[in-house]
Amino acid sequence: MSNTIIVKLTLNDLRSALQQVGYRVEELTDPVVNLTYLRSATGGLTFDIRPGNWLADAESLVDAALTAVLQVQGELPLDLVNRWNATRRFARLQLSQQFLVLSLDVSVAGGVTADHLRAQIDIWDRLVQELIVYLRDELRELSARKGTTAPVEQAAGYENADVSGQAAALQ
């Protein structure tokens, strides 16, 4: 990558940046809001790259959100989410009803280098890998204490999600 200053992005720019570091990326359209976005995966966990704030040209944006959604089945202690957020930077974990969402905002506002954008992708990859291990370990301990099964799996409805494989990876 070069140190060219990036002040705006397109979905194609984001796709290229992800593909340059080895991700497979597909383009999808959300039928509810008619919004085009990208989808990829790492460590068996599917994630979306959703556009953020569009510039006046309506083709470029200054930020995007990387989000991984997991479905919670049963009860997930909020303490588990809070511990993650207290010990990690850059991305946040959120529990909303039956969904657990990891998200990271990527911004080029004010200008960033291509190396900085690459570093943000690397941070995301590392955090997703850490989340998988964290949930597997924490849920195993929780299950052992309560004698139940793990309450989190990849969110249903994602065409490329391997729900059974993800649940097994977390247990």
Side-chain angles (χ1 to χ4, degrees):
M1 297 217 141
S2 71
N3 281 326
T4 304
I5 301 297
I6 301 168
V7 295
K8 61 184 180 177
L9 294 168
T10 65
L11 286 178
N12 285 334
D13 295 334
L14 288 167
R15 177 189 297 112
S16 294
L18 287 159
Q19 287 174 334
Q20 286 175 3
V21 294
Y23 285 98
R24 289 183 11 193
V25 182
E26 65 179 324
E27 187 174 294
L28 300 167
T29 300
D30 185 324
V32 175
V33 293
N34 196 31
L35 174 74
T36 302
Y37 63 99
L38 303 174
R39 178 165 292 153
S40 190
T42 183
L45 187 64
T46 302
F47 66 92
D48 291 345
I49 302 94
R50 299 274 180 157
N53 294 293
W54 292 96
L55 296 172
D57 66 12
E59 294 180 14
S60 304
L61 47 116
V62 294
D63 64 301
L66 284 71
T67 59
V69 179
L70 299 124
Q71 187 172 16
V72 177
Q73 295 181 341
E75 188 177 324
L76 185 67
L78 191 55
D79 181 54
L80 184 140
V81 175
N82 291 337
R83 258 194 329 274
W84 168 270
N85 288 329
T87 58
R88 306 300 191 292
R89 296 183 58 199
F90 308 113
R92 61 196 166 277
L93 194 58
Q94 205 175 343
L95 181 60
S96 178
Q97 296 176 359
Q98 76 265 23
F99 295 102
L100 186 63
V101 180
L102 179 68
S103 63
L104 178 126
D105 294 326
V106 175
S107 175
V108 297
V112 301
T113 64
D115 289 341
H116 176 81
L117 183 58
R118 162 80 187 263
Q120 293 298 299
I121 294 168
D122 290 344
I123 288 169
W124 171 253
D125 187 73
R126 180 174 177 193
L127 288 169
V128 170
Q129 303 304 321
E130 286 180 14
L131 178 64
I132 293 167
V133 171
Y134 176 79
L135 288 174
R136 184 178 54 229
D137 293 347
E138 291 292 321
L139 294 175
R140 184 180 300 129
E141 286 182 29
L142 180 65
S143 294
R145 285 192 304 265
K146 291 187 174 186
T148 60
T149 60
V152 179
E153 65 180 33
Q154 180 87 28
Y158 283 67
E159 294 80 3
N160 293 333
D162 178 7
V163 176
S164 60
Q166 186 62 35
L170 294 175
Q171 292 180 352

